[in-house]
Amino acid sequence: VERGRAEVYVPAWLRLPARLRGAAPGPFRVLARRFGRP
């Protein structure tokens, strides 16, 4: 809210998976299954 952003990720490195999911949902699903997310 203070910075005027719609989304804030803590820790900041979590932005990467969120952006990958939005940009390439297919590869994201493959990687998520591979690394433990159902």
Side-chain angles (χ1 to χ4, degrees), residues 14-35:
L14 286 176
R15 270 182 270 168
L16 179 63
R19 289 185 183 209
L20 177 62
R21 183 178 183 198
F28 175 82
R29 275 188 237 116
V30 170
L31 290 171
R33 268 188 248 120
R34 171 82 170 108
F35 292 105

